[in-house]
Amino acid sequence: MAKPFDVSKFRKDITKSIDGLSIGFHDPTDWISTGSYALNYLISGDFHKGVPMGKVTVFAGESGAGKSYFASGNIIKAAQDQGIFVVVVDSENALDESWLQALGVDTDESKLLKLSMSMIDDVAKTISVFMADYKAMAEEERPKVLFVLDSLGMMMTPTDVDQFNKGDMKGDMGRKPKALTALVRNTVNMIGSYNVGMVCTNHTYASQDMFDPDDKISGGQGFIYASSIVIAMRKLKLKEDLDGNKTTTVNGIRAACKVMKTRYAKPFEGVQVKIPYETGMDPYSGLLDLFEAKGLLTKQGNRLKYTTTAGVEMLEFRKGWTGDKLEAIMQDISAQDGLSIDEVIEETVNEVIDPETGEVLEENNE
């Protein structure tokens, strides 16, 4: 008779022989909101969960598309609200303290450490040293830490600096993509089993491929494969006043966000989030379009109708679908035992519900 396999002994032996080995599953336990309920849902399948700890998330887009607004503003504020310490690496020398404070970020040294560095090698060394010290801590003493890199595209290699000092402006287009890939890949492996996360921004450039017109992310494809979540962003003009009336002047931007890579929801879905210059972003922005695209809100005359899972109808003009009413839809969906929007639609399509009691009367199989 074969001797039973001793899993505990095997686990103990390989843990001793391989330094830093992580055993078992490490699903994210902490999520940080992006400040947009619609974008949160497209990333994670949950209105209140944005980017996960233990992963690397990249916001990529053209200049002025709102990357820093999300990464260095909303996400840092949400992280601090959850007691997460933030380390910001500013490679663009563009993050002013007054700008961060205007977005609600606490710049006190006890909650935020800002590092100005532009060399990829220096950033890699910083993360490596930090993780070595972090692993040496007792488990109960380890804090939750979020690294924010703004941005990957502005980082340099030693070759870049050496050529500049010599007056040679050819640039280092060979080593940089490999260095960025190595940075992200190694970071993913180092932070995966700990409450340490990373959010990066990067630049995009216009595609020259007529068969693939989407903007391309600079730095090569390697680090995109290594990243856990990738959100592509485009800048559109916001020509509306605070009441939603069309104007001829530009009053802000519309950040067109498309989730290109995620393991927690369907990829390649997008939403437009409005960011007015005067008031900043409304967290409910984009939800109305998302619900309408999913078929939860249907047109009835010149109004939009939503039928709750209890059979209660909500009917409002488009401008009437504001925070409280959109919140009611989110709560109605979230109450369905974690079902996604698509699953809620599928469930309700096949049911006939008594509007008074909320009970299912019969199945509608047509």
Side-chain angles (χ1 to χ4, degrees):
M1 181 176 179
K3 184 179 179 180
F5 180 60
D6 189 348
V7 178
S8 60
K9 182 179 184 301
F10 175 68
R11 183 187 296 112
K12 183 177 180 181
D13 289 343
I14 61 174
T15 302
K16 285 183 176 180
S17 61
I18 303 176
D19 184 39
L21 176 67
S22 175
I23 297 177
F25 296 99
H26 301 282
D27 292 3
T29 57
D30 291 88
W31 298 73
I32 306 171
S33 174
T34 63
S36 165
Y37 293 127
L39 184 56
N40 285 349
Y41 184 84
L42 295 185
I43 294 173
S44 66
D46 188 296
F47 294 109
H48 300 283
K49 294 180 179 179
V51 300
M53 295 288 279
K55 307 291 182 182
V56 174
T57 302
V58 177
F59 287 83
E62 60 187 309
S63 177
K67 305 183 298 297
S68 295
Y69 186 93
F70 279 102
S72 299
N74 290 356
I75 291 176
I76 291 181
K77 181 182 182 302
Q80 290 180 334
D81 290 342
Q82 296 172 224
I84 298 172
F85 185 80
V86 180
V87 180
V88 182
V89 179
D90 180 12
S91 67
E92 298 182 346
N93 194 27
L95 297 179
D96 297 326
E97 185 175 15
S98 58
W99 183 79
L100 291 174
Q101 290 175 343
L103 296 179
V105 173
D106 189 341
T107 57
D108 187 85
E109 290 184 355
S110 64
K111 295 186 178 180
L112 178 75
L113 173 63
K114 181 180 178 293
L115 304 175
S116 295
M117 59 178 73
S118 58
M119 299 288 288
I120 300 175
D121 303 49
D122 292 340
V123 175
K125 182 67 174 178
T126 300
I127 295 173
S128 178
V129 170
F130 169 82
M131 288 307 300
D133 294 341
Y134 191 87
K135 293 175 184 178
M137 295 180 184
E139 187 172 350
E140 63 275 8
E141 296 178 355
R142 292 170 181 164
K144 298 175 183 178
V145 179
L146 175 69
F147 283 89
V148 176
L149 274 63
D150 193 3
S151 67
L152 290 172
M154 285 293 288
M155 289 186 180
M156 299 184 295
T157 66
T159 304
D160 285 323
V161 177
D162 184 59
Q163 289 179 348
F164 179 81
N165 291 334
K166 294 178 180 178
D168 185 354
M169 306 304 291
K170 290 184 297 186
D172 183 9
M173 300 306 293
R175 185 177 182 273
K176 184 174 180 178
K178 295 179 181 178
L180 289 176
T181 300
L183 172 64
V184 175
R185 185 172 58 229
N186 281 282
T187 301
V188 167
N189 292 329
M190 283 190 288
I191 70 176
S193 55
Y194 301 97
N195 257 329
V196 179
M198 178 183 284
V199 175
C200 310
T201 66
N202 201 5
H203 304 143
T204 59
Y205 59 91
S207 172
Q208 303 299 315
D209 186 349
M210 63 180 294
F211 299 106
D212 185 13
D214 288 340
D215 290 349
K216 303 303 177 186
I217 301 175
S218 63
Q221 295 295 310
F223 86 90
I224 299 176
Y225 298 141
S227 303
S228 308
I229 296 170
V230 179
I231 300 103
M233 302 179 65
R234 288 190 301 114
K235 178 178 65 176
L236 304 172
K237 296 176 182 178
L238 177 62
K239 292 186 175 182
E240 291 180 3
D241 60 20
L242 297 179
D243 296 322
N245 301 312
K246 292 185 177 180
T247 63
T248 56
T249 58
V250 178
N251 299 312
I253 66 170
R254 287 182 293 133
C257 307
K258 180 186 286 187
V259 180
M260 306 300 292
K261 182 180 180 182
T262 178
R263 291 188 175 94
Y264 306 102
K266 292 196 301 185
F268 305 110
E269 293 197 330
V271 66
Q272 289 188 16
V273 179
K274 299 175 183 178
I275 309 177
Y277 293 138
E278 291 186 13
T279 61
M281 189 187 72
D282 182 345
Y284 296 97
S285 178
L287 270 182
L288 181 64
D289 294 332
L290 176 64
F291 291 150
E292 193 173 7
K294 292 288 187 180
L296 286 176
L297 283 169
T298 56
K299 286 186 178 181
Q300 185 167 309
N302 56 356
R303 292 187 287 180
L304 295 172
K305 181 182 74 172
Y306 173 72
T307 305
T308 69
T309 50
V312 179
E313 290 187 357
M314 299 171 63
L315 191 63
E316 292 286 346
F317 292 102
R318 180 174 291 274
K319 289 184 179 180
W321 284 103
T322 53
D324 292 342
K325 296 179 178 62
L326 293 172
E327 182 73 36
I329 298 179
M330 287 196 299
Q331 292 179 358
D332 190 46
I333 294 170
S334 300
Q336 303 307 305
D337 298 323
L339 295 180
S340 68
I341 290 178
D342 297 312
E343 290 168 330
V344 169
I345 293 171
E346 186 176 348
E347 289 283 329
T348 55
V349 162
N350 294 323
E351 294 174 352
V352 177
I353 301 173
D354 188 325
E356 294 184 359
T357 65
E359 296 180 353
V360 178
L361 301 178
E362 60 181 271
E363 294 291 326
N364 180 13
N365 294 319
E366 296 183 2

